[in-house]
Amino acid sequence: MAAERYPFGEIEAKWQARWEERRQFRVSPDTSRPKFYCLEMFPYPSGRIHMGHVRVYAIGDLLARYKWMRGFNVLHPMGWDAFGMPAENAAIENGVHPAIWTYENIDYMRAQLRKLGISYDWDREFATCDPSYYKWEQLIFIRMLERGLAYRKRSTVNWCPSCQTVLANEQVEAGRCWRCDSEVTRRDIDGWFFKITDYAEELLAWCDRLPGWPERVMTMQRNWIGKSEGAEFDLPVAGRPELKLRVFTTRPDTGFGMTYAVLAPEHPLVDSLVRGEGERAAVERFRAEVLKQSEIERTAEDRPKRGLRLQARVVNPFNGAEIPLFIADYVLTTYGTGAIMAVPGEDQRDWDFATQHGLPIIETVERPADWTGEAYTGDGVKINSGFLDGLTIPEAKRRAIDWLVGRGLGVAKVNYRLRDWGISRQRYWGAPIPVLYCEACGMVPEKEENLPVVLPNDVQLSGKGGSPLAQVASFVNATCPRCGGPARRETDTMDTFVESSWYFLRYCSPHYERGMFERGAADYWMPVDQYIGGIEHAVLHLLYARFYTKVLRDLGLTKVDEPFTALLSQGMVVKDGAKMSKSKGNVVSPDTIREKYGADTGRLFELFAAPPEKDLEWSDQGIEGSFRFLNRVWRFVTTHLDELRRARARAGARAAHTVTPEGKAFRRAIHETIRKVTNDLERDFHFNAAIAAIMELTNTMQAFEAAADGAAADEHAALRREAVETLLLLLGPFCPHVTEELWERLGHAESLFTQRWPEADPAALARDEVTVVLQVDGKVRGRLVVEVDAAEGRVQDLALADERIRPWLRGRAVDRVVVVPNRLVNVVTRS
RNA sequence: GCGGGCGUGGCGUAAUUGGCAACCGCGAUGCGCUUAAAACGCAUUGUCCGAAAGGACGUGCAGGUUCGAGUCCUGCCGCCCGCACCA
């Protein structure tokens, strides 16, 4: 029973040790070879890895090993995204210090990864919670501060009551915290921001210049940046010449259809517009009502639009009409100017509100004759619009902006949905923000020579709120770097997404002590050629890292514009209908899988069961199938080992000259597999299809073996050897241990992964004959074997004379015959 | 509502990108080996008609383009993902 299974345990330990001894995957810059930087998103050391994590590492290792075999100098590093909430929560629950918890997890997970046999350069490993790492992040923070790219402001922010900290917009998903799923509330608080909005245009422009990224990720980023073009202009307040209401619109052409205007309830102008105590009280009541509804209620389906009409009126500058002014919950402070001109004829939200409040509706675009809808947003000619009448919408937009600009009322304006990145976290386990507050000098950055500002160890973590660092007197109380007087340190820490925004650069020279990274190493290795990770980071990490890289470029530290040339977003591993995760309790441990089947089997299954970008349903039976396959390969090679080794001398003669037709067909199968697998890896990441082709080759080998017993077996020994070697080379990147072992047993002293990837031999692929499909009126009626590239006329004649075809032509006239060379003949009849 | 993607056997999937639909695997059924089971091997496995030969049908639905459509176009239906009162 046990004897039937190949000895994967032994083999895997042996080769992991061997690769380590040989330092096989330790790399340094080498300009004589093309470089390939292959990177999987580094993990958060949360405890243990499960088979969900293994998928991404299996993909990365497959690509890295394949590129090795293609002659690339491959950088394939691994490290730890080690700051973050779970460590702090574990500390609060179990009384373990976050550092201890984190490093213990790292040790455990590193051991798990090593036993999977991934080709990492372990010399480059680091954890982001190490002061030698975050020191550089603090330095960059100061540089960003100097350039106005980091700034502090008081604002209304997303607050997670459970994590007790601020969240960036990207970290709120449908009103809930991305990490703990609690409902997010709003809070006014001082905090630090990175000016990602300065890069909105460039981030957007490059979305069209990264063809190696999945379209859906680029689309998500484009939507997130949310560029819209239009105009911003003033509406004078009637009878109050000193007051103007600034509005933004993407449809300046609809100005003549503006029948009222709306302010966000929190808009700062509201207070100056209110007249008398009665109105003030009504406004306060309305605001309170709006604020008390949660984010989730506010964004619920079918929310009614609530509004309050103010006594003040504004003037529509297009036609001079005095129009009513409202405050309403459907206008947001966070976008545009926080105020809008309302055009119910051409905007559905305004239409809803106007209908509800009995406000007039003016149509400014001619509707199609069959139009039955409400607000109209389609194309058409301008009507009821004075000087714009008769123009198309794009023409009218331009003309309206010119008109506003000419009268000094407004300007053309581009708006983005993207907000600046709030990086302050009121938590302990993160990189300290390197600034101080001095009574005399105000906010002062820490001196560079004093970096890193080290996170103190002696902290009390209660989870009660407030930044835990504020309780550490020895940390808070410091001296001002400018005047030497008493100063208080900033107690917020940085969002952990700051660490993951540049770790790929640190891997280029992880031990460099004179800077963030060594310029030469980064210039050699960057950008990352292939990045692999989950879709959940489409607008989080992947946007931040792009931004941060551009900042580093503008600081003169790197030459790259973009960090990741190509991105593969792998799907989730799902079990029992849910994503495999600790909290769902449906995890499968790689340790269990490894002990039962070996790491190679676990990896093979995850690469085979689904295309990489799709979700993968975990299947115990599926993994059995992958295991069966490897056992079959093992048995095949080991049972024929003597003969295969003997064939070695003859391998040089290349079995091309096999005499028998079966031999020729067999060799073609070998080389077609090479071509197929290479295409599948090179073009579209069709790993599952590549494995299917390798399995098929194995089946062909066994069939060939069974058919060619006796004397013929000897004749084909060299061919058989070629087949086995090809199989091992192709399968190597998927299942590195078992293939290395068999490669060695065949008599090779060199590692399989120093071999060149096989190339399909055109001579082997060449055919003398092809099977052509015969169709009558598009239906397959037969097959015909003809010589390759036979003349069309000849093929046509043969087809028309074919016995299988003739009955179908009886009583019908041939209209024409379509001949697709080497593929198909279609006889088209006329009835 | 806007944007993106998907829809193929009992299941996971494949199809040289417009040319034999279902490769590979899982499951199932039968057989062999075995005292037996496991493991392993062989065979069958889209649906319907037929004893067979063979035929008809078949890629969510309805059309279209084409000699030929899983693939391209139009319109529906369904599912998944992202954003969402963004002016």
Side-chain angles (χ1 to χ4, degrees):
Chain A
M1 189 157 96
E4 308 273 359
R5 305 166 146 216
Y6 84 95
F8 52 82
E10 226 172 277
I11 291 171
E12 292 181 357
K14 167 182 164 182
W15 286 100
Q16 285 159 21
R18 192 75 67 83
W19 294 327
E20 196 56 33
E21 277 159 35
R22 291 175 179 165
R23 299 179 54 77
Q24 192 158 339
F25 304 111
R26 310 296 157 115
V27 291
S28 52
D30 170 4
T31 47
S32 71
R33 281 187 297 161
K35 66 95 183 179
F36 190 84
Y37 187 172
C38 179
L39 184 65
E40 299 104 67
M41 288 181 187
F42 67 165
Y44 177 77
S46 57
R48 320 262 124 140
I49 61 167
H50 54 67
M51 291 308 290
H53 300 105
V54 171
R55 190 178 191 190
V56 67
Y57 309 132
I59 293 170
D61 199 39
L62 161 61
L63 294 172
R65 287 179 187 264
Y66 169 70
K67 289 293 177 178
W68 274 114
M69 294 174 81
R70 301 278 343 202
F72 287 86
N73 190 27
V74 180
L75 175 58
H76 189 208
M78 175 48 68
W80 312 98
D81 188 14
F83 271 139
M85 286 291 310
E88 210 166 322
N89 291 339
I92 293 161
E93 279 163 37
N94 311 324
V96 195
H97 192 276
I100 293 171
W101 185 87
T102 301
Y103 280 106
E104 277 177 358
N105 286 343
I106 288 174
D107 287 343
Y108 194 93
M109 290 169 71
R110 184 195 301 108
Q112 285 185 304
L113 283 179
R114 281 181 175 271
K115 285 182 176 167
L116 289 171
I118 317 276
S119 63
Y120 294 128
D121 178 349
W122 284 106
D123 284 352
R124 292 171 186 265
E125 176 194 356
F126 59 78
T128 57
C129 59
D130 192 312
S132 69
Y133 181 83
Y134 64 72
K135 169 181 179 176
W136 305 112
E137 198 167 301
Q138 293 175 336
L139 180 66
I140 296 303
F141 181 93
I142 292 169
R143 293 271 179 280
M144 289 174 76
L145 191 61
E146 288 160 4
R147 299 198 173 213
L149 288 170
Y151 66 95
R152 185 174 159 84
K153 73 168 177 193
R154 183 168 199 92
S155 64
T156 307
V157 294
N158 310 299
W159 179 263
C160 174
S162 154
C163 297
Q164 289 281 319
T165 189
V166 169
L167 298 173
N169 279 9
E170 290 79 10
Q171 293 158 22
V172 180
E173 295 169 351
R176 295 179 179 278
C177 172
W178 73 288
R179 205 194 286 272
C180 72
D181 217 33
S182 309
E183 197 170 312
V184 167
T185 59
R186 311 213 123 232
R187 190 175 268 217
D188 283 321
I189 203 168
D190 286 321
W192 287 96
F193 289 83
F194 281 166
K195 215 152 194 280
I196 192 171
T197 52
D198 271 11
Y199 287 82
E201 192 58 47
E202 198 196 335
L203 288 166
L204 182 67
W206 274 92
C207 286
D208 297 326
R209 285 191 260 168
L210 292 168
W213 284 51
E215 193 48 46
R216 79 180 152 146
V217 175
M218 292 283 69
T219 305
M220 281 160 80
Q221 293 214 351
R222 276 190 208 101
N223 290 345
W224 191 261
I225 294 166
K227 180 179 182 173
S228 52
E229 290 174 82
E232 213 178 85
F233 63 97
D234 291 326
L235 307 180
V237 177
R240 308 270 305 267
E242 79 285 6
L243 290 181
K244 289 182 172 74
L245 179 59
R246 190 85 170 166
V247 295
F248 171 73
T249 178
T250 54
R251 290 292 302 275
D253 63 292
T254 61
F256 286 89
M258 175 197 330
T259 53
Y260 64 97
V262 189
L263 292 148
E266 310 93 319
H267 195 287
L269 197 65
V270 173
D271 288 330
S272 350
L273 290 169
V274 166
R275 272 175 274 193
E277 278 316 304
E279 185 169 37
R280 183 166 306 278
V283 164
E284 284 312 322
R285 248 195 329 274
F286 182 77
R287 278 180 177 163
E289 212 174 299
V290 169
L291 283 175
K292 91 169 177 241
Q293 57 184 341
S294 70
E295 191 77 8
I296 290 178
E297 285 163 351
R298 247 180 119 157
T299 55
E301 285 298 330
D302 269 345
R303 56 254 142 178
K305 293 175 175 44
R306 287 188 297 184
L308 176 72
R309 185 166 178 163
L310 300 180
Q311 291 168 41
R313 294 166 72 83
V314 291
V315 178
N316 177 348
F318 286 91
N319 56 16
E322 265 189 29
I323 53 175
L325 181 61
F326 288 81
I327 55 176
D329 62 353
Y330 80 99
V331 174
L332 310 173
T333 28
T334 49
Y335 187 78
T337 60
I340 60 155
M341 66 171 203
V343 186
E346 277 92 31
D347 184 288
Q348 187 60 40
R349 296 156 298 181
D350 297 341
W351 195 93
D352 292 341
F353 190 81
T355 316
Q356 222 172 297
H357 289 81
L359 296 159
I361 297 171
I362 300 174
E363 298 180 354
T364 73
V365 181
E366 198 163 57
R367 268 59 168 166
D370 57 351
W371 174 253
T372 54
E374 300 175 342
Y376 180 72
T377 54
D379 296 333
V381 170
K382 298 304 298 184
I383 52 170
N384 303 327
S385 294
F387 65 94
L388 300 174
D389 279 351
L391 299 177
T392 64
I393 294 171
E395 285 165 356
K397 278 186 185 173
R398 273 192 297 273
R399 193 73 68 81
I401 292 172
D402 289 346
W403 185 85
L404 287 166
V405 172
R407 301 185 155 230
L409 291 168
V411 291
K413 172 87 183 183
V414 176
N415 253 321
Y416 298 92
R417 220 176 62 92
L418 183 69
R419 306 281 85 168
D420 278 340
W421 175 13
I423 60 140
S424 276
R425 295 292 177 272
Q426 291 67 38
R427 301 298 310 210
Y428 164 70
W429 192 234
I433 293 172
V435 301
L436 300 95
Y437 302 96
C438 166
E439 273 177 36
C441 312
M443 191 275 291
V444 184
E446 183 54 275
K447 275 191 197 151
E448 280 176 34
E449 58 265 35
N450 292 343
L451 297 180
V453 176
V454 177
L455 194 63
N457 266 321
D458 51 339
V459 65
Q460 290 298 312
L461 297 170
S462 64
K464 291 276 162 53
S467 189
L469 285 179
Q471 312 301 317
V472 185
S474 60
F475 178 81
V476 175
N477 301 323
T479 50
C480 172
R482 194 165 293 160
C483 71
R488 197 170 47 78
R489 272 191 201 285
E490 170 65 63
T491 56
D492 285 353
T493 52
M494 281 190 250
D495 185 1
T496 57
F497 280 103
V498 181
E499 284 90 64
S500 53
S501 290
W502 66 280
Y503 74 109
F504 40 88
L505 281 154
R506 185 68 182 169
Y507 279 141
C508 298
S509 51
H511 311 296
Y512 189 60
E513 289 178 359
R514 282 172 299 168
M516 200 170 203
F517 47 85
E518 195 190 337
R519 181 67 194 248
D523 282 353
Y524 176 79
W525 290 114
M526 285 295 290
V528 173
D529 295 282
Q530 183 64 58
Y531 199 29
I532 306 146
I535 188 71
E536 66 272 19
H537 287 293
V539 287
L540 285 160
H541 162 60
L542 289 168
L543 188 63
Y544 296 144
R546 292 183 60 211
F547 157 68
Y548 205 82
T549 300
K550 289 174 192 300
V551 170
L552 295 178
R553 176 202 60 195
D554 291 346
L555 292 172
L557 294 171
T558 175
K559 62 179 182 184
V560 298
D561 293 301
E562 286 285 339
F564 316 121
T565 303
L567 172 72
L568 172 56
S569 285
Q570 100 282 357
M572 299 183 297
V573 176
V574 170
K575 187 167 181 279
D576 312 322
K579 178 181 181 170
M580 198 177 275
S581 75
K582 204 157 92 180
S583 58
K584 297 263 166 41
N586 60 350
V587 295
V588 175
S589 163
D591 304 327
T592 316
I593 295 300
R594 217 172 21 74
E595 280 156 26
K596 202 162 170 197
Y597 307 103
D600 282 340
T601 294
R603 293 169 56 167
L604 181 67
F605 168 69
E606 294 209 320
L607 293 166
F608 176 61
E613 68 282 356
K614 273 187 91 167
D615 286 353
L616 181 153
E617 176 74 35
W618 182 262
S619 154
D620 291 330
Q621 283 159 342
I623 201 152
E624 293 273 356
S626 295
F627 187 52
R628 270 202 286 275
F629 169 69
L630 290 186
N631 274 301
R632 225 142 45 84
V633 171
W634 177 267
R635 270 198 308 275
F636 187 88
V637 179
T638 51
T639 56
H640 297 93
L641 201 56
D642 288 345
E643 173 206 327
L644 288 165
R645 289 177 68 110
R646 254 185 285 118
R648 192 177 192 192
R650 286 201 275 156
R654 298 252 84 181
H657 324 298
T658 49
V659 280
T660 63
E662 305 84 64
K664 245 184 153 153
F666 183 40
R667 187 151 193 271
R668 190 184 315 118
I670 297 169
H671 286 263
E672 272 173 357
T673 307
I674 295 173
R675 189 175 57 178
K676 167 95 173 112
V677 172
T678 308
N679 278 342
D680 283 340
L681 294 185
E682 205 64 53
R683 283 190 330 196
D684 300 318
F685 306 128
H686 286 178
F687 311 141
N688 53 330
I691 295 167
I694 294 170
M695 287 175 167
E696 205 178 345
L697 177 62
T698 312
N699 293 344
T700 308
M701 280 162 59
Q702 280 179 324
F704 184 73
E705 198 63 30
D709 59 341
D714 217 42
E715 220 169 274
H716 289 143
L719 194 51
R720 208 170 287 119
R721 170 136 184 143
E722 186 182 3
V724 167
E725 292 202 338
T726 302
L727 175 73
L728 296 179
L729 290 165
L730 296 180
L731 187 59
F734 298 86
C735 302
H737 308 89
V738 65
T739 48
E740 267 284 32
E741 177 66 20
L742 292 172
W743 186 252
E744 186 186 55
R745 291 193 187 199
L746 283 180
H748 293 286
E750 294 273 295
S751 166
L752 179 73
F753 299 100
T754 60
Q755 304 300 304
R756 291 309 300 259
W757 185 255
E759 263 182 61
D761 177 0
L765 294 173
R767 298 166 167 271
D768 306 328
E769 296 180 323
V770 284
T771 303
V772 167
V773 170
L774 302 181
Q775 295 183 334
V776 176
D777 294 325
K779 292 202 191 295
V780 180
R781 297 302 180 190
R783 257 154 235 180
L784 183 65
V785 178
V786 291
E787 63 278 21
V788 161
D789 297 332
E792 283 191 25
R794 186 179 134 68
V795 176
Q796 178 171 335
D797 292 346
L798 283 170
L800 289 171
D802 193 273
E803 278 177 24
R804 300 265 300 121
I805 292 301
R806 292 220 323 260
W808 295 99
L809 299 178
R810 211 161 288 145
R812 306 181 145 253
V814 173
D815 187 44
R816 64 170 163 142
V817 180
V818 179
V819 178
V820 182
N822 299 328
R823 201 160 262 177
L824 157 150
V825 180
N826 188 12
V827 181
V828 185
T829 69
R830 200 173 30 211
S831 45

